[in-house]
Amino acid sequence: SLAQPMKALRDFGSEFRMVLNCHRERRFMIEQQPHLCHWMPIALPFDRWWVSPAPFGHPLFSLFPVLSPLVTTFYDSLSSFTCPPSFVVGPKAAQRRFPQLQDKGLLFATVFHEAMHDDARTNIAIALTAAERGAAVANYCE
């Protein structure tokens, strides 16, 4: 918050490092296990150009609808642009791509991508690899 700028800066740094580590992990998973990961598009729909009251009490966040294309491009850069690029779509294209969005008052949507990982298949792959190399594997023990 603006009332405690040093705390806000420390919190931001901590969260930024966490997001950066998540991007490293996601890049590793996509490179090492492409058969278990895929890209999922996520839409950020906007029905106004600014938000009031400001989310999290921070005035800059009021401008997120306008800044979202820059923010998502920066987000893409954290993974060295290994993900599909972020983009902006108008209301009709957003409705076509994401039919679950409410179209009433929709101005535009910013679309970015996250890696989805099938953790159950990864666990099976690990168990099969371990068994192949001589480990005893069980899914239930007493």
Side-chain angles (χ1 to χ4, degrees), residues 58-135:
H58 195 293
L60 186 60
F61 291 168
S62 292
L63 299 173
F64 186 68
V66 175
L67 298 175
S68 67
L70 295 172
V71 171
T72 55
T73 300
F74 176 72
Y75 189 74
D76 294 348
S77 77
L78 296 176
S79 60
S80 303
F81 297 101
T82 56
C83 57
S86 299
F87 57 94
V88 175
V89 291
K92 289 182 182 173
Q95 198 66 46
R96 248 189 336 273
R97 289 175 180 260
F98 303 95
Q100 67 273 33
L101 291 178
Q102 293 181 4
D103 61 348
K104 186 177 180 184
L106 183 65
L107 294 173
F108 70 98
T110 300
V111 180
F112 70 103
H113 294 81
E114 278 294 346
M116 288 204 55
H117 164 242
D118 189 333
D119 59 334
R121 285 185 62 201
T122 297
N123 288 337
I124 291 170
I126 291 168
L128 289 172
T129 302
E132 188 178 76
R133 297 203 167 108

Side-chain angles (χ1 to χ4, degrees), residues 1-10:
S1 97
L2 294 177
Q4 297 176 318
M6 292 311 292
K7 181 182 179 325
L9 196 56
R10 281 192 305 274

Side-chain angles (χ1 to χ4, degrees), residues 3-71:
Q4 297 176 318
M6 292 311 292
K7 181 182 179 325
L9 196 56
R10 281 192 305 274
D11 289 348
F12 176 79
S14 175
E15 289 190 23
F16 183 78
R17 285 188 297 280
M18 186 261 315
V19 169
L20 196 54
N21 285 330
C22 288
H23 278 271
R24 286 184 190 125
E25 178 181 301
R26 142 179 129 170
R27 189 170 59 232
F28 176 81
M29 295 299 289
I30 287 285
E31 289 170 357
Q32 297 300 313
Q33 298 180 330
H35 58 293
L36 299 175
C37 299
H38 66 278
W39 294 106
M40 176 63 66
I42 299 173
L44 302 173
F46 296 103
D47 61 358
R48 59 189 65 139
W49 296 105
W50 65 86
V51 181
S52 181
F56 308 109
H58 195 293
L60 186 60
F61 291 168
S62 292
L63 299 173
F64 186 68
V66 175
L67 298 175
S68 67
L70 295 172
V71 171

